[in-house]
Amino acid sequence: MKQHLWIGGQWKEARSYTELRSPHTGELLAEVGQADEADVEEAIAAAQAAGSVMRSLPAHERACILEKAALLMEQRAEELARLLAQEASKPLKAGRAEIGRTVQTYKFAAEEAKRIHGETVPVDAAPGGEGRLAFTVRRPVGVVGAITPFNFPFNLVAHKVGPAIAAGNTIVLKPAGQTPLSALALAGILHEAGLPAGALNVIPGKGSVVGEKLVQDSRIAAITFTGSPEVGIAMKNKAGLKRVTLELGSNAAVIIDDTVEITQAFIDRCVLGAFSYNGQVCISIQRIYVHESRYEEFARRFVEAAEKLVVGDPLEETTDISALIAGKEVERIASWVDAAVSEGAVVLTGGRAVSPAVFPPTVLANAAEASSVSCQEVFGPVVTLSSFADVSEAIAAVNRSRYGLQAGIYSANIHTAMRAAEELEVGGVIINDIPTFRVDNMPYGGVKESGFGREGIKYAVEELTELKFISIKL
């Protein structure tokens, strides 16, 4: 089966195609068109041409398109979840959860389309401002270049496409190489929902071709990117005066103090945060800091729960852990774990690849802070455990990171919790829950090398609109 490019509201045959295979089975899923420079040029031109149509659509019509897209996705939820299992090797139950969240994200976008507004400005507060009515309005920025990763190929796309449409922009979307089918399915859904031709263009292809063109082309008004810090920083340096929103890496941490009761529900929640979708989540728990009085019990029960996770076919209902997105990631993670062990870390469970495609849930104790498994983003099912005597030590350890996306702290002491909220150098502090917590209407983004700008529909709409000031002399 060939999957063509989606440009200008229709399928367009590409000049070259590449095989897309299942990470779990290796079976051929599709031959996917790869955009070249001419295709990117055509997609940008189509988006630019559709700009006047999108800007003229009233808010209720933009909202209606997004609401209908959400309904169509809801109706096709099982089919789309199975697509995720095939192309992303996402366990079916995790895929269903992602589709559910994606539907909610488009519903939020529909609501926000009707809430875009400015404010009156009391210019008579300044001498010379008397006798004037002044106010602000928000207007779409124009063509948005969106570049998305493999790990949430429906919902992270929704966080870029949804607010862009809500604000009246047009989009050129480059999906991840391993998960283009989700984005191409979305193109058909939005077309059926009534999105004007050219308002969304989906062009899989190489980052060096598609991504570079989107970042450097002057017709692209804003770039929204989720991916690695190295690529994101390079993009920001090349983007010039474009709006840039970057959601980059993380090695998310959670602190567990001495007031916490170690219940099974608590353990299960931490296991979910650490190993959901094989740890291939930006805010997956990677570092756990436990008070020394609770450390032994937590470590024992956490390992026991991790060892109960089912490794298997992503299309099986019971599967918790499946293939990583690529075999090279298994090799990388194995080398990082081996290096950590050589530096003094102790493997409490896991530690060796199950197959060329699968790495098991792995828990390491006493990993050196400078080890890759501690200081870099593993993006796999690996967690490090460390103990502390005073919460100040744990907060300082969390902050000694190049990243700062989200962090969690469990404490029954409100003073400890609020102190951590103040001192943790991250974009979001989650009190009495895991840092993996995210709902789709909250502001989401990081500091340091974790990113720039904020997602979450309302906040993304602000990123993708220009504020215009208007003054009337009465």
Side-chain angles (χ1 to χ4, degrees):
M1 177 182 70
K2 280 194 172 182
Q3 283 285 339
H4 303 313
L5 310 175
W6 179 258
I7 298 175
Q10 58 187 350
W11 299 111
K12 179 182 184 297
E13 192 168 343
R15 278 168 278 273
S16 68
Y17 289 78
T18 188
E19 290 185 345
L20 179 70
R21 294 186 175 274
S22 161
H24 179 72
T25 65
E27 69 175 306
L28 180 66
L29 300 176
E31 293 180 60
V32 180
Q34 299 295 287
D36 59 21
E37 289 189 9
D39 296 319
V40 182
E41 171 65 31
E42 186 177 345
I44 294 173
Q48 191 176 37
S52 59
V53 177
M54 283 298 291
R55 284 192 298 274
S56 68
L57 279 183
H60 70 86
E61 290 190 23
R62 300 197 303 274
C64 185
I65 290 167
L66 291 162
E67 286 165 357
K68 187 170 182 183
L71 177 62
L72 290 168
M73 291 195 77
E74 206 163 25
Q75 293 169 346
R76 294 173 55 185
E78 188 65 16
E79 170 197 340
L80 299 177
R82 295 183 76 84
L83 178 60
L84 283 173
Q86 290 175 316
E87 72 170 347
S89 195
K90 179 165 285 193
L92 199 52
K93 53 190 173 183
R96 291 182 182 129
E98 179 176 347
I99 298 304
R101 280 186 59 191
T102 305
V103 168
Q104 188 66 63
T105 300
Y106 283 114
K107 288 181 178 179
F108 279 134
E111 293 169 7
E112 290 302 331
K114 296 178 280 189
R115 290 201 281 253
I116 300 171
H117 58 81
E119 61 184 4
T120 57
V121 181
V123 291
D124 64 345
E130 301 89 343
R132 294 176 187 270
L133 172 66
F135 57 95
T136 60
V137 294
R138 286 194 171 273
R139 294 290 181 255
V141 295
V143 183
V144 176
I147 302 172
T148 55
F150 73 83
N151 57 331
F152 287 88
F154 275 112
N155 199 40
L156 290 184
V157 166
H159 273 281
K160 301 178 189 310
V161 170
I165 292 171
N169 296 299
T170 59
I171 311 106
V172 179
L173 168 65
K174 180 206 170 304
Q178 181 56 43
T179 53
L181 303 183
S182 302
L184 292 164
L186 171 68
I189 288 169
L190 280 167
H191 180 68
E192 187 178 345
L195 187 68
L200 172 65
N201 304 274
V202 182
I203 49 171
K206 292 181 179 178
S208 58
V209 177
V210 180
E212 283 291 317
K213 177 71 171 172
L214 294 179
V215 171
Q216 297 191 35
D217 195 288
S218 61
R219 293 166 294 178
I220 301 291
I223 290 288
T224 174
F225 168 80
T226 301
S228 73
E230 292 74 21
V231 175
I233 291 167
M235 280 185 177
K236 193 168 187 303
N237 289 337
K238 295 174 182 176
L241 295 178
K242 287 181 176 64
R243 296 283 186 91
V244 179
T245 302
L246 303 174
E247 199 273 279
L248 307 178
S250 178
N251 56 356
V254 63
I255 299 170
I256 301 165
D257 81 359
D258 58 345
T259 65
V260 176
E261 182 182 358
I262 309 298
T263 65
Q264 191 57 47
F266 168 70
I267 291 291
D268 291 344
R269 183 68 174 160
C270 290
V271 168
L272 176 71
F275 301 117
S276 179
Y277 189 37
N278 311 328
Q280 295 172 129
V281 180
C282 294
I283 42 178
S284 175
I285 300 174
Q286 185 173 322
R287 298 178 291 157
I288 302 179
Y289 298 92
V290 188
H291 189 272
E292 58 190 12
S293 66
R294 297 284 191 270
Y295 180 82
E296 293 299 331
E297 180 186 3
F298 178 87
R300 174 180 57 80
R301 295 180 66 177
F302 184 78
V303 167
E304 287 173 355
E307 290 176 342
K308 292 177 182 176
L309 294 173
V310 177
V311 178
D313 188 326
L315 287 167
E316 293 292 333
E317 295 286 347
T318 57
T319 296
D320 299 302
I321 300 289
S322 187
L324 288 169
I325 199 66
K328 65 179 182 180
E329 298 304 315
V330 176
E331 296 171 5
R332 173 186 60 82
I333 292 169
S335 70
W336 284 16
V337 170
D338 289 345
V341 170
S342 71
E343 294 161 0
V346 177
V347 177
L348 301 183
T349 189
R352 292 193 177 279
V354 173
S355 73
V358 178
F359 203 87
T362 296
V363 182
L364 302 176
N366 305 320
E369 199 170 274
S371 289
S372 293
V373 294
S374 298
C375 69
Q376 297 192 55
E377 182 177 37
V378 174
F379 222 61
V382 177
V383 172
T384 65
L385 299 184
S386 305
S387 65
F388 64 88
D390 184 272
V391 74
S392 298
E393 300 171 27
I395 292 172
V398 173
N399 288 343
R400 285 193 299 271
S401 171
R402 58 193 274 215
Y403 302 115
L405 188 46
Q406 292 195 164
I409 178 165
Y410 281 89
S411 178
N413 186 318
I414 187 63
H415 301 290
T416 299
M418 293 309 296
R419 177 186 164 197
E422 176 65 27
E423 295 181 7
L424 286 167
E425 297 167 0
V426 292
V429 176
I430 313 300
I431 296 174
N432 289 334
D433 203 356
I434 54 178
T436 324
F437 170 79
R438 183 184 181 184
V439 290
D440 297 291
N441 62 332
M442 70 185 233
Y444 178 77
V447 299
K448 298 190 275 190
E449 290 189 29
S450 282
F452 185 83
R454 291 294 182 271
E455 291 190 338
I457 304 302
K458 171 189 172 183
Y459 308 94
V461 165
E462 292 176 357
E463 300 271 357
L464 298 177
T465 51
E466 294 280 7
L467 193 66
K468 178 183 282 189
F469 172 77
I470 299 169
S471 171
I472 305 171
K473 194 170 189 306
L474 302 176

